[in-house]
Amino acid sequence: MKPLCSRMYMLVSRLWAAISKALFAEFLATGLYVFFGVGSVLRWPSALPSVLQIAITFNLATATAVQVSWKTSGAHANPAVTLAFLVGSYISLPRAMAYVAAQLAGATVGAALLYGLTPGNVRGTLGINVVQNSTSTGQAVAVELILTLQLVLCVFASTDNRHARGSPAAMIGTSVALGHLIGIYFTGCSMNPARSFGPAVIVGKFTVHWIFWVGPLTGAVLASLIYNFILFPDTKTLAQRLAILMGTTVEEKVVEVEPEKKDSQCNSEDTEERV
């Protein structure tokens, strides 16, 4: 009984260590993304930002965040990407919820740090996402949906080990830059609810904030369905998908591995007796 308990304790400890590292990676990556990305939107009197400058900065911020965290957590740094991976049966519901919490916390800290370091006459509204010009709320939701759709498709294609090799940082960064080159004129370009959430919390402005959740999350779900069920369907059964959703896959694997270890030990003892 004691050896079994010790093995279970070691397993839980390893799982917690892995999850805590992944959560910190999501927190750090999202914080860096918001700090540098939103920082490029600030309107300095001496040099007002251009659309190209903002797009390039978000490109580089994304590539940096992905490169830092993709081997530890998968480099989501975006609640929309996390939802897409949940729908595609890549992560469990508990892990997805923890990821989103870490991302929102990281975005808030990144925005707070930027706010604290920026002169008062430059802060403005800290780059919060708003509906631009004469764009309607329906058009804004549709634009955010499309922008996030292409981003999530790129994330799946760049991280799918069946096709892609190496770091996905450059391609995902390019996808984010593409979205900004168009989306800035409509909504300031979010594609990431955490990017919208952090600055909104710090300045306390949530006008039409719901757009930057509904649009990106809907686009992420559609992209996940398109990639995982139409373009490159996998062979997971319904039982496997439910197990992944509930987070019981690891436990099942452990149960299956233990008999194999016992059998191998028995076989080794038999061979020693024969010798």
Side-chain angles (χ1 to χ4, degrees):
M1 189 68 180
K2 288 184 178 179
L4 178 60
C5 292
S6 63
R7 285 198 296 269
M8 290 299 295
Y9 175 78
M10 290 177 62
L11 175 62
V12 171
S13 299
R14 289 175 182 175
L15 287 175
W16 170 246
I19 292 174
S20 60
K21 287 182 181 179
L23 293 180
F24 179 73
E26 287 297 308
F27 172 87
L28 178 63
T30 312
L32 291 173
Y33 175 78
V34 169
F35 181 85
F36 287 101
V38 175
S40 69
V41 181
L42 299 180
R43 302 178 68 83
W44 294 85
S46 58
L48 296 179
S50 66
V51 172
L52 183 59
Q53 173 191 334
I54 296 171
I56 292 174
T57 305
F58 270 98
N59 178 345
L60 298 175
T62 301
T64 300
V66 170
Q67 189 65 32
V68 166
S69 61
W70 77 287
K71 288 188 177 180
T72 304
S73 65
H76 294 188
N78 185 339
V81 173
T82 299
L83 177 60
F85 274 70
L86 177 66
V87 172
S89 299
Y90 291 95
I91 59 174
S92 66
L93 179 60
R95 179 179 284 265
M97 295 173 64
Y99 269 28
V100 172
Q103 292 158 2
L104 295 180
T108 304
V109 171
L113 184 60
L114 180 64
Y115 184 88
L117 295 176
T118 305
N121 64 329
V122 178
R123 291 171 185 159
T125 57
L126 204 65
I128 62 170
N129 290 110
V130 294
V131 177
Q132 305 285 353
N133 303 320
S134 58
T135 304
S136 68
T137 55
Q139 291 171 331
V141 170
V143 168
E144 285 293 328
L145 186 157
I146 295 170
L147 297 179
T148 311
L149 175 76
Q150 64 85 22
L151 170 62
V152 173
L153 285 174
C154 182
V155 170
F156 276 124
S158 302
T159 58
D160 192 340
N161 55 20
R162 293 175 296 177
H163 314 291
R165 294 292 183 272
S167 172
M171 291 309 302
I172 296 176
T174 301
S175 178
V176 170
L178 174 64
H180 279 80
L181 289 172
I182 298 297
I184 286 178
Y185 299 106
F186 293 90
T187 61
C189 189
S190 174
M191 298 191 293
N192 185 336
R195 175 261 181 268
S196 301
F197 180 81
V201 168
I202 298 305
V203 299
K205 293 187 177 181
F206 290 90
T207 306
V208 298
H209 182 70
W210 62 271
I211 290 175
F212 307 108
W213 284 87
V214 174
L217 294 183
T218 305
V221 171
L222 290 176
S224 185
L225 295 175
I226 291 171
Y227 188 89
N228 294 295
F229 294 92
I230 299 177
L231 296 180
F232 299 101
D234 56 30
T235 58
K236 294 187 186 77
T237 63
L238 179 60
Q240 290 173 326
R241 293 183 183 279
L242 290 175
I244 293 172
L245 177 67
M246 302 307 296
T248 58
T249 305
V250 175
E251 295 176 1
E252 292 175 359
K253 288 182 179 178
V254 172
V255 172
E256 293 174 358
V257 169
E258 289 300 327
E260 294 179 1
K261 290 184 177 179
K262 291 181 179 179
D263 293 341
S264 62
Q265 290 176 356
C266 293
N267 292 335
S268 61
E269 291 175 358
D270 293 341
T271 53
E272 289 177 359
E273 291 178 359
R274 290 175 184 172
V275 173

